[in-house]
Amino acid sequence: METISKLINLPVLSLYEGEMIGNIKELYFDKKLKKLEYLSIENEEGLILVIQSKNIYNIGKNAVTIKNNNQATLMSNLEPFDEYFAPLNFKIFSMHGELLGIAKDFGVDEKYEVKSIITEDKHIDTNMQINCSKNAIILYDQDTVKINSFKTKALNLFKTKKDEKVSIQPIETQNVINISSINNDNQVKVVSNTDFLLNRRTTADIFGLNDEIIIKNNSLITKKTVATATKFGKLKELMIKSR
């Protein structure tokens, strides 16, 4: 197991180009502190580049090597960088608010997966569940509480009528319109029996496309009335405005 704080300030060498591209500035881990994901590098012009840990060719005593310059990318091209944190020197707390120390180093394996957090006086096993933010590391103690249970819930700004119940009324089968097909013009073809409308009376004027009255208020509904309403697409309105 390697400790990785020693990488800070080491130069990064590109083997293919044979040049030093800058010095390591920060080490970035995922939010759960499971793996070292990126190293940031500051070059001579003050630009910040990043390389993925998987693209490290070798970590030597005095320098880190990568294969070529293409494996280094401007950090600005990857922003926002919110999924990754640089937690060296972060304070470590238990979920019950006890200060456990300062993260002085991290122990990683050959795949850069984190195996321990190293404080001033102890190694903390990362088999414990860990949560990391932009300024602190939180450990779970021995509790089995799931951190997702603490997630902020959306506020309901509107009161609901819990006691309001919806009553479902039975539908009279004679009043049901069955839609059997839709033609190419997206017009609904009504094929049901509309005899139940006959001899009822309208309760309001029914207007056509140009606001002309096609069926007057208090008209007796006949087969001709139903045909007129169907022609103008007003059959549903006729049902509503009749008794």
Side-chain angles (χ1 to χ4, degrees), residues 146-198:
K146 298 296 183 182
I147 199 70
N148 284 340
S149 66
F150 300 151
K151 186 176 181 180
T152 303
K153 295 181 179 179
L155 293 177
N156 185 0
L157 301 179
F158 302 96
K159 293 182 179 179
T160 58
K161 296 180 180 178
K162 294 183 179 179
D163 297 330
E164 185 177 356
K165 296 182 179 179
V166 178
S167 60
I168 301 175
Q169 300 295 330
I171 300 175
E172 295 181 18
T173 56
Q174 67 171 356
N175 291 343
V176 175
I177 293 180
N178 297 317
I179 299 175
S180 64
S181 64
I182 300 177
N183 63 21
N184 292 334
D185 296 324
N186 294 323
Q187 297 297 318
V188 176
K189 180 181 179 182
V190 180
V191 296
S192 69
N193 185 3
T194 56
D195 288 347
F196 72 94
L197 287 170
L198 301 179

Side-chain angles (χ1 to χ4, degrees), residues 47-99:
L47 296 174
I48 304 300
L49 309 170
V50 293
I51 58 171
Q52 288 185 279
S53 58
K54 68 180 183 180
N55 288 331
I56 295 173
Y57 183 74
N58 192 60
I59 297 175
K61 182 178 180 180
N62 303 113
V64 172
T65 58
I66 60 175
K67 292 180 179 179
N68 56 63
N69 281 344
N70 286 339
Q71 294 180 331
T73 306
L74 279 171
M75 180 180 279
S76 58
N77 291 342
L78 298 178
E79 289 180 344
F81 215 59
D82 297 338
E83 294 298 315
Y84 306 100
F85 300 123
L88 275 175
N89 297 315
F90 277 15
K91 289 183 178 181
I92 306 168
F93 294 91
S94 74
M95 66 177 295
H96 289 105
E98 178 186 358
L99 179 62

